[in-house]
Structure formats: C-alpha cells, structure tokens
C-alpha cells in the first residue's frame, strides 16, 4: 500500500531534519540500503557456490556420493540466491526506496513518485470507465 501524500510529506520532513541534524549519520544510513544488502548477498552466494564445488569434488575424490550430493545442493541453493539477489538489486541510476531525499536526490525522487502516481491514476480512471461502461450495457 503506497503512502498518502501527507505521509510522504511527513517522511520527507523527517529525512530533511535528520540530514540537518546529523548529515554524517544520515549519509551512513543511506549507504546501508537495499543495494548494499543485495550486493553482499550475491557475494555470499558466489562464495557458497565455490564451497559447493569444493564439496562436489571432495565427494568425487573420496568416492562418497552423499558429499557430492550435498555439494550439488549447496551449489544449486547459492545459484538461486545469487540470481534472485541480482534481480532485486536496484540499477546504479535508480533511486532506492526508503533512501534519504536530500536536496540533490529529492527532486528526481519526487518527480518519479509524481509520474508513478499519475500513471496509477490513469490506470484507475480507465478501470473505472470500463466498469461504468459494462454496468451501463
């Protein structure tokens, strides 16, 4: 559920107050967002994939099938984590949700939100017109 305009304004005011009060802390919080989390998750998944390969090879060398199966399952799980983490990571130019909207980053974020809102309004208007037309016929 999207935030109302009042809630968005309150959030922006809180963010501006945080930047004004402690800019270093606000910048540190901004850097620990979704992008950093997903990047770390992808790196961990790649490391786990390499561990899975090592287990697979160790199982083959020791002629223990169960070790190889465990290695394969670790590889499969880590591959899934890496791919889902990669897809969820925001692109470098995108504004991540929940990020601080300082003076430089606030205007593009607000215009994006406005465009998104207007698009949703158009979709809702079309939906309402279709419903009205169907009820009329």
């Amino acid at each position: 559920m999207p935030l109302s305009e009042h809630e968005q304004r309150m959030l922006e005011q809180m963010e501006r107050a945080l930047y004004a009060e402690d800019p270093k802390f606000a910048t540190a919080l901004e850097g620990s967002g979704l992008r950093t989390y997903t990047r770390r998750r992808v790196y961990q998944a790649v490391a786990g994939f390499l561990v899975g390969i090592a287990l697979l090879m160790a199982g083959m060398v020791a002629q223990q099938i169960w070790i190889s199966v465990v290695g394969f399952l670790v590889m499969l799980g880590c591959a899934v984590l890496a791919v889902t983490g990669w897809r969820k990571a925001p692109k470098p130019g995108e504004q991540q949700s929940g990020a601080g909207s300082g003076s430089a980053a606030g205007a593009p974020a607000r215009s994006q939100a406005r465009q998104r809102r207007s698009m949703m309004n158009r979709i809702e208007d079309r939906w309402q017109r279709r419903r009205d037309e169907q009820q009329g016929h």
Side-chain angles (χ1 to χ4, degrees), residues 52 65-66 99:
I65 303 263
W66 65 274

Side-chain angles (χ1 to χ4, degrees), residues 14-40:
M14 289 168 37
E15 289 173 350
R16 282 193 297 267
L18 177 64
Y19 271 99
E21 188 176 308
D22 194 356
K24 187 183 266 188
F25 178 67
T27 306
L29 283 179
E30 189 176 279
S32 64
L34 178 65
R35 187 167 182 194
T36 304
Y37 170 75
T38 52
R39 186 182 305 141
R40 187 179 317 130

Side-chain angles (χ1 to χ4, degrees), residues 28-136:
L29 283 179
E30 189 176 279
S32 64
L34 178 65
R35 187 167 182 194
T36 304
Y37 170 75
T38 52
R39 186 182 305 141
R40 187 179 317 130
R41 182 176 170 186
V42 168
Y43 290 150
Q44 289 171 347
V46 168
F49 189 84
L50 295 174
V51 169
I53 289 175
L55 283 171
L56 184 75
M57 293 297 176
M60 290 173 62
V61 168
Q63 294 182 351
Q64 297 291 322
I65 303 263
W66 65 274
I67 295 175
S68 295
V69 170
V70 169
F72 176 76
L73 292 175
V74 168
M75 288 170 50
L76 183 65
C78 289
V80 168
L81 283 176
V83 169
T84 57
W86 191 266
R87 286 184 183 167
K88 288 181 184 176
K91 307 288 184 282
E94 287 182 357
Q95 178 75 18
Q96 58 195 31
S97 62
S101 50
S103 59
R110 279 191 291 275
S111 68
Q112 261 186 343
R114 220 175 287 121
Q115 288 174 348
R116 206 175 309 126
R117 240 182 282 128
S118 67
M119 182 182 76
M120 287 304 293
N121 288 340
R122 285 185 305 207
I123 291 172
E124 288 173 2
D125 290 342
R126 288 180 192 163
W127 178 259
Q128 189 64 37
R129 271 187 266 133
R130 285 182 191 157
R131 284 184 41 192
D132 292 343
E133 287 174 2
Q134 287 177 352
Q135 289 175 354

